[in-house]
Amino acid sequence: MVSLIVPIYNSQDTIKNCVQSIRSQTCEDLEIILVNDGSTDDSLKICQELSEEDSRIKVIDRPNGGVSAARNSGLDAASGEYICFVDSDDLIMPDYVKKLSSMIVENCADLAICGMNNNEPKDVVPAETRVFSSEQLLNLMAEGKITSGICSIMVPKKLLNENSLRFAEGYKYSEDLHLLWRIVHYCKKIAYTAEKYYIYVDIAGSAMAKFNENRSDSIKLFENLKGFFLNNRSEFAEKFSRLVVSKSYWSFAWQAAVKLPARQYKKLCREYKIKKRFKDLISHPSKKVAFSSAMGIISLSIFRVLAITFGKSHCH
């Protein structure tokens, strides 16, 4: 059985469509765990109504504690052999569960990863399934050659429990990636396909479209991961620091450049010593990151112009 965990906070307008996409899976051996994280709208009522329609739905109602705490509550309650995560404003394709589970079984893998579409369902374009060791995938992720999120994976619950893997609570950004990097570390074999079975719905005005100092959560969690790799995979730690941690500083600066007044943006850049991080990125595999970092070393104002010109409609 597969447990799909859905954290919910004030999602009354999207949760029905999300759950319907889960209920419509071609694989029916599911447990759908809806975790209401102290919603102040009708989300809990809708979840309870949905659970009356489908015995596979389990509703957890908890005080507001953030998305990580909600997901952790779902993990603690899950009884499935495998775990997937779905956000309450997103959708999954009908074969999402079937595809990921078959990838694990057919390849004797510890983790399955698929691609993601933005905003609307599209026909799945066939792609090969590739199998990686944890070392191979970590390097590909660090180099930006493979990207993923926590919602495009299937992982055995046993792997999470045996390695005490849970979401970091109290953070608003990158808590999902903080867990994903650690999951990959503990895997022996990972199956990956670029086929897109998860649909990320970009809602205008969502938290990801705004900027506040909580964005620094990403920096804190990637710095924490650097310590994790120093202790557990020292040969990878330097590369992770240079390419991934430094890029989290770059992303922070890029977002600040787009969303904040020039004076406030430059103040943050000085506070976080952004130019020092730019030096790590001038040979980054991404030409955009490398070029903008080189320009940022010359002038934070030039970096801001680049960010506003090329990144206003989509912040990284």
Side-chain angles (χ1 to χ4, degrees):
M1 184 169 70
V2 177
S3 297
L4 294 101
I5 298 170
V6 186
I8 296 160
Y9 179 73
N10 289 355
S11 303
Q12 64 180 18
D13 296 331
T14 61
I15 188 60
K16 284 186 178 180
N17 286 339
C18 173
V19 173
Q20 182 55 41
S21 75
I22 300 174
R23 294 173 67 184
S24 299
Q25 291 297 293
T26 52
C27 173
E28 296 184 354
D29 191 15
L30 308 175
E31 175 184 59
I32 306 168
I33 303 177
L34 307 181
V35 186
N36 180 57
D37 188 38
S39 295
T40 58
D41 64 1
D42 285 334
S43 293
L44 177 59
K45 179 183 176 182
I46 294 170
C47 289
Q48 292 170 334
E49 291 172 350
L50 289 169
S51 70
E52 292 174 1
E53 297 174 5
D54 193 327
S55 61
R56 298 175 299 174
I57 296 176
K58 177 190 298 185
V59 179
I60 297 174
D61 184 30
R62 50 163 290 127
N64 180 257
V67 64
S68 291
R71 285 171 171 157
N72 286 338
S73 293
L75 278 172
D76 292 340
S79 55
E81 182 181 2
Y82 298 104
I83 302 291
C84 290
F85 301 96
V86 181
D87 284 345
S88 60
D89 46 4
D90 293 342
L91 306 168
I92 55 177
M93 297 292 282
D95 285 334
Y96 169 86
V97 171
K98 181 179 179 180
K99 178 65 177 182
L100 290 173
S101 58
S102 67
M103 287 167 64
I104 288 179
V105 172
E106 292 171 9
N107 297 284
C108 298
D110 303 305
L111 178 68
I113 304 174
C114 69
M116 303 175 74
N117 259 325
N118 282 339
N119 291 327
E120 59 184 36
K122 299 176 183 177
D123 290 339
V124 175
V125 178
E128 66 175 329
T129 295
R130 302 160 67 189
V131 178
F132 302 107
S133 67
S134 60
E135 179 182 3
Q136 290 172 323
L137 187 58
L138 286 170
N139 279 287
L140 289 168
M141 289 169 62
E143 294 163 7
K145 294 177 180 177
I146 285 182
T147 59
S148 180
I150 204 70
C151 291
S152 59
I153 73 167
M154 179 181 288
V155 60
K157 184 181 180 184
K158 182 179 180 182
L159 184 141
L160 298 176
N161 289 344
E162 288 182 347
N163 297 290
S164 302
L165 292 171
R166 289 294 188 271
F167 291 92
E169 299 186 17
Y171 297 90
K172 294 184 180 296
Y173 297 95
S174 296
E175 74 293 330
D176 55 341
L177 296 176
H178 183 255
L179 178 61
L180 180 61
W181 282 92
R182 290 180 292 140
I183 288 173
V184 173
H185 163 76
Y186 285 109
C187 292
K188 293 180 180 178
K189 189 185 291 187
I190 303 104
Y192 168 82
T193 182
E195 293 179 1
K196 298 177 179 180
Y197 290 93
Y198 190 91
I199 303 146
Y200 167 70
V201 181
D202 188 9
I203 298 176
S206 69
M208 292 304 290
K210 302 173 184 177
F211 185 94
N212 57 55
E213 293 242 18
N214 287 327
R215 291 275 185 180
S216 63
D217 285 355
S218 295
I219 291 173
K220 295 171 186 174
L221 289 174
F222 279 113
E223 290 281 9
N224 177 272
L225 279 171
K226 180 175 74 174
F228 172 82
F229 286 122
L230 279 169
N231 291 330
N232 295 282
R233 196 180 285 259
S234 58
E235 74 284 358
F236 176 68
E238 188 279 331
K239 183 174 187 177
F240 181 83
S241 178
R242 177 169 46 86
L243 294 182
V244 183
V245 179
S246 290
K247 188 171 182 291
S248 72
Y249 283 85
W250 177 93
S251 295
F252 182 75
W254 187 271
Q255 294 155 359
V258 172
K259 298 294 183 181
L260 297 179
R263 183 176 296 180
Q264 190 176 352
Y265 149 73
K266 289 181 179 179
K267 180 182 177 182
L268 279 178
C269 286
R270 289 192 294 270
E271 180 182 343
Y272 284 91
K273 300 178 180 178
I274 294 297
K275 281 194 173 185
K276 179 181 178 182
R277 295 295 175 166
F278 284 161
K279 293 178 181 179
D280 287 341
L281 298 170
I282 55 177
S283 60
H284 194 276
S286 165
K287 292 181 179 179
K288 179 173 73 173
V289 172
F291 177 74
S292 60
S293 295
M295 293 299 100
I297 293 171
I298 297 171
S299 168
L300 290 173
S301 295
I302 296 175
F303 181 87
R304 184 168 184 265
V305 169
L306 290 171
I308 291 172
T309 303
F310 298 104
K312 192 140 191 173
S313 63
H314 178 68
C315 269
H316 293 262

